[in-house]
Amino acid sequence: MRSENPSGADNQQERPGIEQWIVGFVDGEGCFSISVVRNPGCRLGWQVQHEFSVTQAASSKSALDLLVEEFQCGRVIENPRTGDHHELLLRFSVKRRADLVTTVIPFFEEHPLRTAKLLDFERFVVVLRVMQNGEHLTEAGLRWVARQTELMNRRQRSRYLESSEAIRQPSPTDKETKIWSGPHGDVGSFRAKFLVG
Amino acid sequence: MRSENPSGADNQQERPGIEQWIVGFVDGEGCFSISVVRNPGCRLGWQVQHEFSVTQAASSKSALDLLVEEFQCGRVIENPRTGDHHELLLRFSVKRRADLVTTVIPFFEEHPLRTAKLLDFERFVVVLRVMQNGEHLTEAGLRWVARQTELMNRRQRSRYLESSEAIRQPSPTDKETKIWSGPHGDVGSFRAKFLVG
């Protein structure tokens, strides 16, 4: 957050309570997502991607710019147009693991979410910490992450897990397994395995 | 808000910045809506309805309960189920004009929204103030309110305005004209007409 930047201290005083506004806004529109996607350039042929995002109509771009300014990371990008929306959608997006680990996660640990999105955030944190340990670079670790994404989104089967040959014979027609944050799941056993002790 | 209740002062200190969390949450998920609906019991055969609401999946009910507690008005009700949602949806809803005028509107005037939803709120305030003056009880005033709801939701024609005979020959098959808050519209001329001077 901006408080880490000495030059930002004065500006921050102009927005009292901005941290709680961010928490509320993210409780409403934020998304913590983990994806396992095809990437032939990776040793296992698959890559784990992570993103913290907030989506708004273009008319609220200033609110997304405010997030860039306050977090001092991420950027505002255009969402692909879908048939459901008449207006252009923009997305505040933080994908860099370093930004997530050093800025986004500490912020929401200090200022907890108040909705069920807190559970998504906690799952997100566990996966990121496992990745910090390099566990996802092993076949067993990657398989474990893919299982977590299935728990996080019960409606969607992991493409990675669907194909037992996935690691050795990646196919360019395979789509990514994208796991958007949902209100469900149980990461208790995961936590116990990776974080305790 | 709770600060007006002496007994709530202690609790409020347990939630520092809760006002800004509410602003952010409403920027994300809040809705200010005006509807013109059939009501044969009304003198003109139509009624103007108003609602401030925040919708969440049932798993985030505690966040909606928090709004009830903080605003000290409104209630949490079940949303009708739609095909798009697997989980039960709940809605924090404030419909009483007295609650909107004395509690909700002053809150958001003191703590302004940061997204384009601010424009919806401003339109909502203007309509409510016109109603406080009783303008909507005249045929011309009701027609004016119906025109504003069209401005607020450009995709939906007012059922009230569609029928030139609406006031004199209400039909039970007519549906309500429900105007959910959207990111558009211009209430400049409206403000000029009703609020200036």
Side-chain angles (χ1 to χ4, degrees), chain A residues 74-127:
Chain A
R75 60 202 183 104
V76 176
I77 57 181
E78 281 190 21
N79 252 18
R81 277 188 184 273
T82 70
D84 294 346
H85 292 278
H86 299 269
E87 195 181 358
L88 176 67
L89 293 181
L90 302 178
R91 187 163 94 244
F92 167 68
S93 167
V94 183
K95 291 183 175 178
R96 277 189 69 225
R97 201 191 313 165
D99 292 333
L100 295 167
V101 168
T102 64
T103 303
V104 173
I105 288 176
F107 174 82
F108 288 106
E109 285 178 331
E110 186 177 354
H111 308 286
L113 295 157
R114 293 177 182 273
T115 65
K117 208 162 282 181
L118 176 63
L119 297 177
D120 299 324
F121 170 70
E122 289 176 343
R123 286 176 215 120
F124 187 79
V125 170
V126 173
V127 171

Side-chain angles (χ1 to χ4, degrees), chain B residues 28-83:
Chain B
E29 294 283 2
C31 181
F32 299 93
S33 68
I34 301 287
S35 316
V36 180
V37 301
R38 282 277 189 207
N39 186 340
C42 292
R43 194 169 63 83
L44 299 178
W46 294 77
Q47 182 183 12
V48 182
Q49 292 185 344
H50 27 61
E51 183 182 22
F52 164 54
S53 63
V54 181
T55 299
Q56 285 287 287
S59 54
S60 292
K61 180 175 185 294
S62 62
L64 300 182
D65 291 338
L66 180 58
L67 295 178
V68 174
E69 191 176 338
E70 289 293 327
F71 280 106
Q72 296 205 326
C73 64
R75 60 200 182 105
V76 176
I77 57 182
E78 281 189 21
N79 252 19
R81 277 188 184 272
T82 69

Side-chain angles (χ1 to χ4, degrees), chain B residues 86-140:
Chain B
H86 299 268
E87 196 180 358
L88 176 67
L89 292 181
L90 301 178
R91 188 164 93 243
F92 166 69
S93 167
V94 183
K95 291 183 175 177
R96 277 188 69 225
R97 201 191 314 163
D99 292 333
L100 294 168
V101 168
T102 63
T103 302
V104 173
I105 288 176
F107 174 82
F108 288 105
E109 286 178 332
E110 186 177 354
H111 308 286
L113 295 158
R114 293 178 182 272
T115 65
K117 209 161 280 179
L118 176 63
L119 297 177
D120 300 323
F121 170 71
E122 288 176 344
R123 285 175 214 121
F124 187 80
V125 170
V126 173
V127 172
L128 268 284
R129 292 209 169 126
V130 164
M131 294 179 73
Q132 286 293 88
N133 293 337
E135 308 254 12
H136 64 298
L137 301 177
T138 68
E139 197 167 327

